[in-house]
Amino acid sequence: MSPRVRLRDVAAAAATSPKTVSRVINGDPRVSEATRDRVRRAVLDLGYQPDPLARSLRRGTDDTIGVVVDSVADPFFASVAGQIERIALPKGITVMIASTNRDQEHEREVLERMAQRRVAGLIVAPISGDHAHLAGLSCPVVFVDRRATGMEADSVVVDDHGGAHAAVRHLVDHGHRRIAFVGHEPELDTLRRRLAGYRAALHEAGITEEFLVASSPDRDEIVHATADLLASRRPPTAIFSPSTRSSMRVLPVLHRLGRLDVGFVAFGDLPLADSLTPGVTVIDHAPEVVGRLAAARLMDRIAGRPLPTEVITAPLRLIPRGSGEVPA
Amino acid sequence: MSPRVRLRDVAAAAATSPKTVSRVINGDPRVSEATRDRVRRAVLDLGYQPDPLARSLRRGTDDTIGVVVDSVADPFFASVAGQIERIALPKGITVMIASTNRDQEHEREVLERMAQRRVAGLIVAPISGDHAHLAGLSCPVVFVDRRATGMEADSVVVDDHGGAHAAVRHLVDHGHRRIAFVGHEPELDTLRRRLAGYRAALHEAGITEEFLVASSPDRDEIVHATADLLASRRPPTAIFSPSTRSSMRVLPVLHRLGRLDVGFVAFGDLPLADSLTPGVTVIDHAPEVVGRLAAARLMDRIAGRPLPTEVITAPLRLIPRGSGEVPA
DNA sequence: CTGTTAGCGCTTTCAG
DNA sequence: CTGAAAGCGCTAACAG
């Protein structure tokens, strides 16, 4: 529309210099009340709005934070991202979201691009195994869901070991002794921890028999492996699904086969989990909490508050809905 | 880490001027092969990467498109956004996603901020009723899910009327005559069209009895209203849910009450829809298609290709899974 | 308390 | 084909 109002236009209208207008805009106290008022009026009259690009170029940093996750289409990360946005926006911080699609090369590219844009900070669900290359980024980084390795940075995670332990313990308490872990992804630190929690719970209960399906939830193999396992001569009486993605593949199998007698507990909540029959017992993954904690910590870092590097653990809770309470 | 390589550093290394380097970077053909090679080598040697902020400031436009939707945490919009990202990124275009949380004021603010950043284009799921104020934006806008009103702009929508019509027709074909429309939101154009489709299908079948629950899916009222409706003296034998958000509220009611004899067809696919018993029959909303079409059209606009303003309709298909095929 | 000068890194003139 | 000068809109540095 109108050709864009600049600082100098406001300055002219307020009969002062651009720098003084800049001071008023940025809340510098060293401006007289009278001038300040004139400037404020001019700003309103002309509908002036600062140019974020020019400002960032000069300042060397942008009022933007980057969020890099596996995929925005993943409900867990979508919730995390939504929460971050909710916290950042009121502070005048813009959020840029990007997906890695679980591809290391892609992750690198996306991060580089954000760094190039001089983002003030990054929240990353890292997919690469070693994050040393991220140490070179000149802005604070907070990891979510998976913790930092190879560099000093805060991470906001959930208690993978404890959550898995609680889930399996819950099944044991309902009489199950043959419990499968379906959907292992050994390349993910998170999953390895959940596997350890599963094993610890078995061990504690004096169970030595382990059922492990290590097919990735992204491939159809998991479907067949699960069906085969249930059809085997000595099948498990319960399944622990260590990730939402795994649950989305395994639950349909159970329902298709009508195997609703099989105990089932999932790590990560699911939409419609309480409309299934039986309802799906889950360890709630608390994406909102993860998002909130990560955003808060990043703000602290951007503000330069001196804090020790930390692994922040979001609390988990078990939500019994039926599938985890079927007897063995 | 290293202090950032600038154009002039590359120029120095290649023994030429910044402008010539700029020409090479931007693929200007009017540079001799020899110079071009020297520059390319220098770029690689120094690891030069252009500064997007400086470039945008000078050019007056940013290689970024903004995506503004109800909420990234909404699975439909998350898919749409994911698809847009997938198309934009390989073209070197950065995507900024923001949520309106269905708040007009918020929408205005977010859009203003993006415009301020000189985005090259916008993809918007508009929440405000009249979009005339968006006409002032100096970049192309493509609307998704809901169509433009009050301004000339492309929209990518689904066939709301036709989809709803097909859904209700499907129920009629299975013998239902008392079919409820649960979860109307009269302020949304989309929903009004779906309601019209519902009515048209009833009319065609010679049905005069209409059941309408106009509670917003965001409020608990919809739960009670649905339960009351089913408990009434002359209840519907089937329900058409005109939105995913509505389905997420209504399905739990049906399952909690054990009313699996009630026919159910939803507008918009649902995660785990085929694990419910019965599986949920849906009109697939095709978020990926909507995203792809919107992104493609926006690219056309940004490239300045002369095209008539259009309402592009993404195809829908009915996926029968059981709930829509229960007899009356 | 206020203003001037310079320059963030790039690209658009316009002149060789 | 190449380069010098100017400036996008803003703010840091340094006067006054």
Side-chain angles (χ1 to χ4, degrees), chain B residues 56-74:
Chain B
S56 301
L57 179 60
R58 185 68 253 231
R59 293 222 259 235
T61 172
D62 197 355
D63 277 348
T64 297
I65 63 176
V67 176
V68 178
V69 295
D70 291 8
S71 164
V72 273
D74 178 316

Side-chain angles (χ1 to χ4, degrees), chain A residues 51 62 85 99 117-118, chain B residues 51 62 85 99 117-118 255:
Chain A
D51 182 327
D62 196 355
E85 202 190 10
S99 307
R117 284 199 161 257
R118 300 179 152 93
Chain B
D51 182 327
D62 197 355
E85 202 191 7
S99 307
R117 286 202 159 252
R118 303 178 148 96
H255 283 265

Side-chain angles (χ1 to χ4, degrees), chain B residues 19-20 22-32 36:
Chain B
K19 178 62 219 181
T20 299
S22 168
R23 286 207 180 89
V24 175
I25 304 271
N26 294 295
D28 187 320
R30 298 178 316 182
V31 178
S32 75
R36 186 181 302 277

Side-chain angles (χ1 to χ4, degrees), chain B residues 44-113:
Chain B
L44 290 176
D45 282 355
L46 303 180
Y48 171 73
Q49 300 206 266
D51 182 327
L53 255 37
R55 175 181 283 193
S56 301
L57 179 60
R58 185 68 253 231
R59 293 222 259 235
T61 172
D62 197 355
D63 277 348
T64 297
I65 63 176
V67 176
V68 178
V69 295
D70 291 8
S71 164
V72 273
D74 178 316
F76 173 71
F77 288 120
S79 277
V80 172
Q83 199 61 33
I84 293 169
E85 202 191 7
R86 181 163 310 207
I87 293 174
L89 248 65
K91 295 188 194 281
I93 296 172
T94 303
V95 179
M96 296 192 42
I97 305 172
S99 307
T100 64
N101 297 315
R102 295 183 156 246
D103 179 305
Q104 295 212 17
E105 182 50 32
H106 205 285
E107 173 186 81
R108 203 192 44 69
E109 190 188 324
V110 156
L111 284 170
E112 207 156 70
R113 221 136 102 176

